[in-house]
């Protein structure tokens, strides 16, 4: 169902026009002050922003490994995502950060309904006091710098195994193509994620090799192979949140696409 432009058309006029795995290490909140070791990540995030501007999406669906929920995958259906973030994890780096993004409650509801129809226990909610975490807000700083693209945040659920995460991603895609939205799916989280102290520390060479092998499968369109080998990759590389965000991305993008590795860099052994 590839339309030849990297988009995916269904019975509606909606399209899943792109998919990204992006970084959210706190030090890239300030791209100018991040330091040289983070330059590849900053450059990659800026390159992703250029691609998103080219794709002209109506909405970004962003699944963050730092919005961890226990039993239910959640969809934030707020009309407006507005608040002030001080991170519990790194309040010295992220404090008093005011953000304001439009939401898309209609699509959020359709996405949740599609998940439930596939047996995934999705819960949609709209709560004005809910505060976004930095795994969502840091990527959005890059990906929608004018805060003029609607955002639908998705949690990453601990009780969901990789199969359910892929099914959930497929449901997201199904809802998009039945809508009238041009959408981009964003998986916010690391590949290998064996953390150590020292923000400048790279992953071990064998872990970097595993990361690049998976990235190669994803960017060269070997979707079925990426899907089949993800459990083995997760067992060996220990990606963030057990690779659930990557599984969601695989489900949400479907097959018939090509991609590019825009950046790869370290953060505390991750």
């Amino acid at each position: 169902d590839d339309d030849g432009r990297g988009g995916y058309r269904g019975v509606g006029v909606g399209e899943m026009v792109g998919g990204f795995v992006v970084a959210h290490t706190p030090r890239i909140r300030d791209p100018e002050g991040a330091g040289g070791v983070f330059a590849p990540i900053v450059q990659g995030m800026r390159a992703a922003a250029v691609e998103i501007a080219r794709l002209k999406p109506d909405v970004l669906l962003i699944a963050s490994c730092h919005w961890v929920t226990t039993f239910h995958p959640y969809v934030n259906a707020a009309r407006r995502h507005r608040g002030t973030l001080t991170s519990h994890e790194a309040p010295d780096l992220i404090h008093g950060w005011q953000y304001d993004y439009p939401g898309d409650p209609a699509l959020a509801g359709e996405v949740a309904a599609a998940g439930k129809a596939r047996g995934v226990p999705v819960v949609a909610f709209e709560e004005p006091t809910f505060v976004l975490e930095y795994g969502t807000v840091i990527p959005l700083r890059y990906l929608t710098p004018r805060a003029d693209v609607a955002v639908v945040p998705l949690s990453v659920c601990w009780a969901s195994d990789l199969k359910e995460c892929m099914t959930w991603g497929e449901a997201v895609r199904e809802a998009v193509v039945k809508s009238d939205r041009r959408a981009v799916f964003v998986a916010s989280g690391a590949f290998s994620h064996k953390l150590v102290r020292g923000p400048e520390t790279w992953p071990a060479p064998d872990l970097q090799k595993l990361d690049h092998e998976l990235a190669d499968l994803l960017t060269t369109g070997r979707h079925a192979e990426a899907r089949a080998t993800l459990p083995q990759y997760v067992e060996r590389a220990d990606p963030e949140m057990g690779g659930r965000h990557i599984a969601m991305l695989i489900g949400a993008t479907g097959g018939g696409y090509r991609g590019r590795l825009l950046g790869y860099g370290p953060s505390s052994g991750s």
Side-chain angles (χ1 to χ4, degrees):
D1 56 355
D2 187 357
D3 68 3
R5 299 183 295 117
Y8 302 89
R9 290 200 176 274
V11 296
V13 294
E15 294 180 82
M16 186 69 79
V17 296
F20 295 82
V21 179
V22 299
H24 59 227
T25 177
R27 287 170 178 79
I28 67 169
R29 182 206 168 177
D30 174 14
E32 307 307 326
V37 72
F38 296 103
I41 302 176
V42 169
Q43 291 166 5
M45 295 292 283
R46 286 173 167 165
V50 170
E51 288 299 308
I52 286 176
R54 181 184 65 81
L55 293 169
K56 295 182 172 61
D58 301 304
V59 59
L60 303 178
L61 296 129
I62 180 165
S64 167
C65 285
H66 276 261
W67 183 14
V68 181
T69 53
T70 309
F71 299 118
H72 296 280
Y74 282 85
V75 180
N76 189 332
R79 297 180 181 278
R80 196 88 199 173
H81 307 289
R82 182 185 291 119
T84 303
L85 170 63
T86 294
S87 169
H88 289 85
E89 180 182 350
D92 56 325
L93 299 175
I94 301 173
H95 53 269
W97 185 354
Q98 296 182 349
Y99 60 84
D100 187 359
Y101 298 98
D104 190 336
L107 182 63
E110 292 164 8
V111 162
K116 289 178 182 177
R118 286 176 173 251
V120 182
V122 182
V123 175
F125 73 97
E126 182 176 355
E127 173 49 60
T129 64
F130 185 84
V131 178
L132 302 180
E133 33 59 56
Y134 77 75
T136 298
V137 179
I138 285 178
L140 291 179
R141 174 175 186 152
Y142 288 88
L143 303 182
T144 175
R146 293 185 296 276
D148 56 354
V149 179
V151 175
V152 175
L154 309 173
S155 77
V156 178
C157 178
W158 190 256
S160 297
D161 60 15
L162 293 177
K163 182 179 179 181
E164 183 172 276
C165 287
M166 288 185 191
T167 299
W168 175 209
E170 290 167 355
V172 170
R173 177 175 171 233
E174 177 185 318
V176 166
V177 299
K178 288 181 178 178
S179 74
D180 61 355
R181 310 292 200 277
R182 290 173 59 84
V184 165
F185 191 93
V186 180
S188 172
F191 275 58
S192 58
H193 197 59
K194 296 187 177 181
L195 294 175
V196 298
R197 284 178 171 151
E200 73 289 345
T201 306
W202 282 82
D206 61 322
L207 297 177
Q208 293 187 51
K209 182 175 182 293
L210 292 171
D211 286 349
H212 283 288
E213 287 172 353
L214 179 60
D216 186 59
L217 293 179
L218 293 170
T219 56
T220 57
R222 289 178 284 170
H223 178 264
E225 192 175 349
R227 186 183 187 109
T229 61
L230 184 62
Q232 290 83 4
Y233 167 79
V234 167
E235 184 176 349
R236 297 170 65 190
D238 195 19
E240 192 163 7
M241 271 300 290
R244 290 169 175 81
H245 61 309
I246 301 173
M248 292 170 69
L249 176 84
I250 289 173
T253 51
Y257 64 84
R258 307 282 288 190
R260 288 190 293 141
L261 179 63
L262 300 175
Y264 182 79
S267 181
S268 302
S270 180

